[in-house]
Amino acid sequence: MLRPSTQRYSVTRPLYSEDAFEDEHAKVYRKHKTFLHHVIQYFTCTSERAKNTAISLLPIIGWMKTYSFKEWLLNDILSGVSTGLVAVLQGLAFSLLASIPTWYGLYAAFFPVIMYFFLGTSRHISVGSFPVLSLMVGAVVTRLVPDEGLPANITAFEGLTKEEQRVLVSASLTFLVGLFQLGMGLLQVGFIVMYLSDTLISGFTTAAAVHILISQLKFVLGLTVPGFSGPLSIIYTLESVFTQITSTNIHDLVTSIVVMVMVLGVKEINDRFKSKLKVPIPIEIIMTVIACGVSYAFNFSENHGVDVVGKIPNTFESPIAPSLQVFQMAAVDAFPIAIVGFAVAFAVAKVYSVKHDYVIDGNQELIAFGASNIFGGAFKSLAASTALSRSAVQESTGGKTQVAGLLSAIIVLVVILGIGFLLEPLPKSVLGAVVIVNLKGMLMQVVTVPYLWKKDRPDCIVWVGTCLAAIFLGLDIGLAVGLGLELLTVVFRAQFPHCSVLANISGTDIYRDRKDYVNIYEPEGVKIFRIPSPIFFANIDFFRDKLKDAVGFNPLRILRKRNKAVKKMKKLLKKGELTLTSNGLQATCSMPIEESEDESNMEDLDKPTDYSDLPIQVNWNAELPANIQVPPVNIHSLVLDFSVVSFLDISALKGLKAAIKEFIRINVDVYIVGCDPYIIEKLRNCKFFDDEIKTSIFFLTIHDAMLFINESHPPKTVSEKVSGSFQYQHVNGSSTSSCLAIQADMKMEVETDTKPETRF
């Protein structure tokens, strides 16, 4: 294969402006559908559409038709059993974060899974409790039903114990979260997850991991710590923990440390030898069994005051209706829970869909999780999403479809109805240790901060700001702060883009930033300006300021100076103080008095220069008579590269039109290149073009425009620069001055030397 430096290509084609290209290549004008047509089409029902809708709403129909029982069933069974055992343990552990009895965490590993089996599009995620969601639910639960003091004034609380009140709040909140998710899915707003960047989610989940870690200290240390919610709740929790630190239950502490060390060590072995282990060592299950046995044998609960799981009912409780009063008090909290739950699940599902080459539908995922949480909430389940560690077990143990998820739900069912009593002596400190161990991945995300600081500081600010806000102000406010910071970074990037002046790589049609390359050529009298972002109301002023910086002058100021100079010259000619003779202009007046800006009509000064009563042609780049001062303009053409401009709004359109007219009125030709045809069409529809701005200024590429400019403004030879000049005399005492500024308005024949070679 040839080296890149030796490869060449040659293209011969006509020079194209947009007008010339459209004349030569007929454009197909498509008829756009009206809003009414879209509405009619949306509500039109055909047999094919009904079939597609059914498959879309019930993805199980699609993948079950291709299910290979011979190749996949055994893998799904093994995966389902392994995932089910992990789901049981995590369900018990994560329910502690929600401040509700532990067995309700098992419901989150059963009811939502059944619904997702029929409606979900991911084949590998394990649906169930998620520590961040459980913690967010727990914040609402402890706010409405605090550990100390009276609960909120809710009619449905009458006659219920504190635990039952908390379960009612948790179930109602889960139901409301499901309603939000289902509503967003039906409205097809699955794209909303795109506004939660990986950086924001990383910072948010790291903060949530810190909250979870602090919340589990009371179980690891065996302390009684009241639940706190709202801003600075983490500070109050730490204060309460350290106040009681001398009352630590040594049995809980030792048990927790042993469990954490063993689980972390074996997990490290699983990660290091995962290619050789067909099934990861289920160390969490093993340690749970051992802890249950030791606790039962030594009667930790009675003899050592260890808090244990306790009675687990061997039956399902009756479904309940959610409380509308809880809906009213928790609506603001439910929406971020719905967003976070869906965002985390969708992110995990996307990873596995790419790995195993199938498609997931964001809107259908919203519908699936919405229905799952509504169904689970009716049966007192916790809010469901997915946990990365549990999903990793389901995928790594060979799971192929959601049949593995269904089998994991069956394992949970067996535990609830059959062997749940075996978990009754399990110390809650063991569950707390398991929760803390599972935070390792989220807590280790902090190592990305130095990388973000070096590579992308706005993203680093989003990460740090989201994390700190979520830690100290609470997860709900922290998420809002993170979204605000993210939107600010988007606005900042769009409002203050890195504009550049382009130049030509010698001997090519390639144009790059003139600051970045050595072998680069900037055409004389031409400025090529690029803005790498959409142009809209927020950055149009920035665009115009950067354009003035690039060309080195303010075109409006130049125009006003020229108009004032022409007015002065007209007055001098009218009074006979400046006369045109065969030998040039003679001025027989004293130096004219400068006119202030206030003495002129500013509107007139902004109009095109009127040369109608001036029988001369002015060279504005040379010295002018009568000490008239006008800043020189060192370019004759301006090229605006719109190749990366994706849209223009009305405000930007007006600002762009004004900027272009300012340059045209000082005799600087403006060309726009690489503009999207839809933007040109919008400009036509918005009456952008007039007598001054014409469609002929648009070219396909920068090089097309540069070739056209070279034809219109060929480089001047020496003889052209010195010929055709007159002299004027400004008599002021005995002094005489000569200048090339005023040239007779007549046609002159000039002998031309050999035309220099054009460098393109």
Side-chain angles (χ1 to χ4, degrees):
M1 185 175 180
L2 292 174
R3 297 194 308 272
S5 58
T6 63
Q7 295 178 347
R8 296 287 187 273
Y9 75 88
S10 177
V11 177
T12 302
R13 65 168 177 81
L15 187 158
Y16 279 128
S17 66
E18 288 285 352
D19 289 346
F21 186 81
E22 288 189 8
D23 290 341
E24 187 171 327
H25 301 274
K27 187 176 179 180
V28 178
Y29 286 93
R30 293 170 292 174
K31 186 178 180 181
H32 295 286
K33 296 178 181 178
T34 63
F35 177 75
L36 180 61
H37 187 280
H38 282 291
V39 172
I40 294 173
Q41 187 179 24
Y42 184 80
F43 288 102
T44 300
C45 183
T46 63
S47 58
E48 184 68 20
R49 191 169 183 185
K51 177 183 175 182
N52 293 336
T53 302
I55 294 176
S56 175
L57 291 175
L58 292 171
I60 186 175
I61 298 174
W63 59 263
M64 278 302 287
K65 291 191 299 183
T66 60
Y67 190 86
S68 175
F69 286 89
K70 187 178 294 185
E71 298 178 7
W72 293 354
L73 184 59
L74 181 59
N75 287 331
D76 279 341
I77 291 174
L78 293 174
S79 175
V81 172
S82 302
T83 307
L85 294 174
V86 175
V88 168
L89 185 57
Q90 290 189 349
L92 293 171
F94 296 160
S95 63
L96 299 179
L97 300 172
S99 300
I100 59 175
T102 52
W103 64 85
Y104 291 105
L106 297 178
Y107 294 174
F110 178 74
F111 292 108
V113 177
I114 301 299
M115 189 61 69
Y116 189 86
F117 175 75
F118 295 100
L119 300 177
T121 58
S122 174
R123 303 176 189 176
H124 292 88
I125 64 171
S126 174
V127 177
S129 55
F130 177 55
V132 176
L133 287 197
S134 299
L135 186 67
M136 295 176 79
V137 170
V140 180
V141 168
T142 53
R143 175 166 60 84
L144 298 184
V145 188
D147 290 331
E148 299 175 357
L150 297 175
N153 186 18
I154 297 176
T155 306
F157 282 175
E158 294 180 4
L160 300 180
T161 64
K162 178 170 288 189
E163 282 191 352
E164 291 171 338
Q165 291 173 351
R166 290 189 165 188
V167 170
L168 176 62
V169 172
S170 171
S172 300
L173 183 60
T174 299
F175 195 96
L176 183 57
V177 166
L179 287 178
F180 278 133
Q181 291 175 331
L182 182 62
M184 289 189 291
L186 293 176
L187 292 174
Q188 303 286 292
V189 292
F191 65 87
I192 196 172
V193 73
M194 297 178 184
Y195 291 96
L196 300 177
S197 67
D198 293 342
T199 305
L200 185 146
I201 292 176
S202 175
F204 178 78
T205 52
T206 302
V210 174
H211 276 280
I212 294 168
L213 175 63
I214 300 302
S215 70
Q216 295 307 291
L217 290 179
K218 64 180 181 181
F219 298 110
V220 171
L221 301 175
L223 303 175
T224 302
V225 178
F228 298 98
S229 60
L232 302 181
S233 60
I234 194 169
I235 304 297
Y236 300 139
T237 302
L238 284 173
E239 181 186 17
S240 179
V241 168
F242 284 111
T243 301
Q244 306 176 56
I245 196 71
T246 54
S247 303
T248 298
N249 188 315
I250 194 66
H251 298 86
D252 276 323
L253 180 60
V254 171
T255 302
S256 300
I257 292 174
V258 170
V259 170
M260 283 191 282
V261 170
M262 291 298 297
V263 172
L264 282 173
V266 176
K267 277 182 174 287
E268 189 66 28
I269 294 173
N270 286 340
D271 290 339
R272 186 165 296 185
F273 299 101
K274 60 183 177 182
S275 59
K276 298 179 181 180
L277 295 172
K278 292 185 177 180
V279 178
I281 300 172
I283 184 60
E284 292 166 316
I285 305 300
I286 294 172
M287 293 306 298
T288 300
V289 172
I290 293 174
C292 282
V294 172
S295 176
Y296 179 78
F298 292 95
N299 197 4
F300 275 7
S301 178
E302 297 292 336
N303 297 336
H304 304 291
V306 172
D307 194 10
V308 297
V309 170
K311 181 68 176 178
I312 297 180
N314 60 353
T315 182
F316 287 111
E317 297 185 11
S318 302
I320 59 172
S323 169
L324 296 180
Q325 287 179 290
V326 173
F327 282 6
Q328 294 174 351
M329 295 181 177
V332 176
D333 304 278
F335 188 73
I337 294 174
I339 296 296
V340 171
F342 168 63
V344 171
F346 185 79
V348 176
K350 194 172 181 180
V351 170
Y352 291 124
S353 70
V354 171
K355 182 177 180 180
H356 295 278
D357 192 24
Y358 62 90
V359 178
I360 57 173
D361 183 348
N363 292 314
Q364 182 59 30
E365 286 294 289
L366 271 172
I367 292 173
F369 276 103
S372 298
N373 281 317
I374 290 173
F375 184 57
F379 285 91
K380 304 180 182 179
S381 165
L382 265 173
S385 179
T386 187
L388 183 58
S389 58
R390 195 169 60 244
S391 296
V393 170
Q394 181 166 317
E395 190 269 342
S396 63
T397 52
K400 301 296 182 183
T401 65
Q402 279 300 327
V403 169
L406 182 64
L407 291 172
S408 73
I410 293 175
I411 296 296
V412 175
L413 179 65
V414 170
V415 170
I416 294 173
L417 300 181
I419 60 175
F421 66 92
L422 296 176
L423 296 172
E424 291 178 2
L426 178 65
K428 288 185 177 180
S429 57
V430 173
L431 296 178
V434 170
V435 171
I436 292 174
V437 167
N438 279 283
L439 298 177
K440 177 188 174 184
M442 289 192 286
L443 291 172
M444 289 303 294
Q445 293 176 131
V446 74
V447 301
T448 63
V449 174
Y451 174 82
L452 289 173
W453 181 252
K454 292 179 181 178
K455 302 299 181 182
D456 196 330
R457 291 190 178 180
D459 269 357
C460 183
I461 292 172
V462 171
W463 196 101
V464 174
T466 303
C467 186
L468 292 178
I471 288 175
F472 293 107
L473 302 180
L475 295 179
D476 49 353
I477 299 177
L479 181 62
V481 170
L483 282 170
L485 288 173
E486 192 168 59
L487 290 176
L488 282 177
T489 61
V490 172
V491 170
F492 181 82
R493 294 175 199 265
Q495 189 170 351
F496 305 106
H498 177 68
C499 301
S500 56
V501 176
L502 306 184
N504 177 244
I505 303 293
S506 298
T508 71
D509 63 347
I510 300 171
Y511 295 82
R512 291 291 184 268
D513 192 330
R514 65 182 179 183
K515 299 178 182 178
D516 295 340
Y517 297 89
V518 177
N519 186 26
I520 200 162
Y521 162 66
E522 190 171 6
E524 183 180 356
V526 181
K527 198 68 70 173
I528 309 171
F529 183 77
R530 170 180 288 171
I531 177 169
S533 78
I535 307 177
F536 58 107
F537 68 94
N539 69 357
I540 182 60
D541 291 332
F542 176 81
F543 164 74
R544 295 181 66 174
D545 290 341
K546 284 295 181 181
L547 184 56
K548 293 172 189 174
D549 292 342
V551 298
F553 58 84
N554 184 338
L556 185 58
R557 180 171 176 268
I558 299 292
L559 178 62
R560 289 173 177 174
K561 289 283 187 181
R562 287 186 180 182
N563 281 332
K564 289 174 68 177
V566 168
K567 283 185 177 182
K568 292 176 184 179
M569 283 188 276
K570 286 181 179 180
K571 287 181 180 179
L572 292 174
L573 286 169
K574 188 175 181 181
K575 293 178 180 179
E577 297 174 352
L578 195 64
T579 58
L580 179 64
T581 67
S582 57
N583 294 325
L585 278 174
Q586 274 193 335
T588 58
C589 65
S590 59
M591 187 178 297
I593 301 173
E594 287 291 331
E595 183 181 359
S596 66
E597 294 286 339
D598 295 335
E599 295 174 357
S600 299
N601 188 330
M602 300 302 291
E603 292 185 2
D604 291 340
L605 293 179
D606 293 346
K607 293 179 180 178
T609 307
D610 182 13
Y611 296 99
S612 58
D613 297 331
L614 196 64
I616 52 175
Q617 179 181 349
V618 183
N619 179 3
W620 293 108
N621 289 330
E623 185 181 348
L624 299 172
N627 287 337
I628 297 174
Q629 299 294 327
V630 176
V633 175
N634 57 1
I635 64 170
H636 55 70
S637 300
L638 173 64
V639 180
L640 302 178
D641 182 5
F642 274 30
S643 57
V644 289
V645 176
S646 56
F647 72 86
L648 281 166
D649 66 5
I650 296 297
S651 299
L653 187 146
K654 293 178 180 177
L656 177 65
K657 186 173 184 177
I660 292 176
K661 283 192 173 185
E662 289 171 7
F663 281 100
I664 291 175
R665 289 172 181 177
I666 61 171
N667 302 323
V668 175
D669 297 329
V670 180
Y671 304 93
I672 298 177
V673 301
C675 190
D676 190 286
Y678 293 101
I679 293 181
I680 298 177
E681 190 65 29
K682 181 176 182 178
L683 295 177
R684 286 196 180 99
N685 294 335
C686 295
K687 310 298 182 184
F688 182 79
F689 303 105
D690 53 24
D691 293 338
E692 292 182 87
I693 304 178
K694 304 182 184 300
T695 57
S696 57
I697 69 173
F698 288 88
F699 284 81
L700 294 186
T701 67
I702 298 177
H703 206 58
D704 283 308
M706 289 305 302
L707 293 175
F708 179 81
I709 291 170
N710 184 61
E711 291 179 2
S712 305
H713 300 273
K716 289 184 178 181
T717 62
V718 175
S719 58
E720 286 176 319
K721 291 179 180 179
V722 300
S723 63
S725 64
F726 277 86
Q727 292 186 354
Y728 76 91
Q729 288 185 335
H730 175 205
V731 181
N732 186 12
S734 60
S735 65
T736 337
S737 61
S738 65
C739 145
L740 304 179
I742 309 260
Q743 298 181 352
D745 189 10
M746 60 179 69
K747 184 176 180 181
M748 298 184 178
E749 293 187 7
V750 181
E751 290 188 4
T752 345
D753 298 333
T754 306
K755 189 176 181 179
E757 182 181 356
T758 308
R759 300 177 65 184
F760 292 113

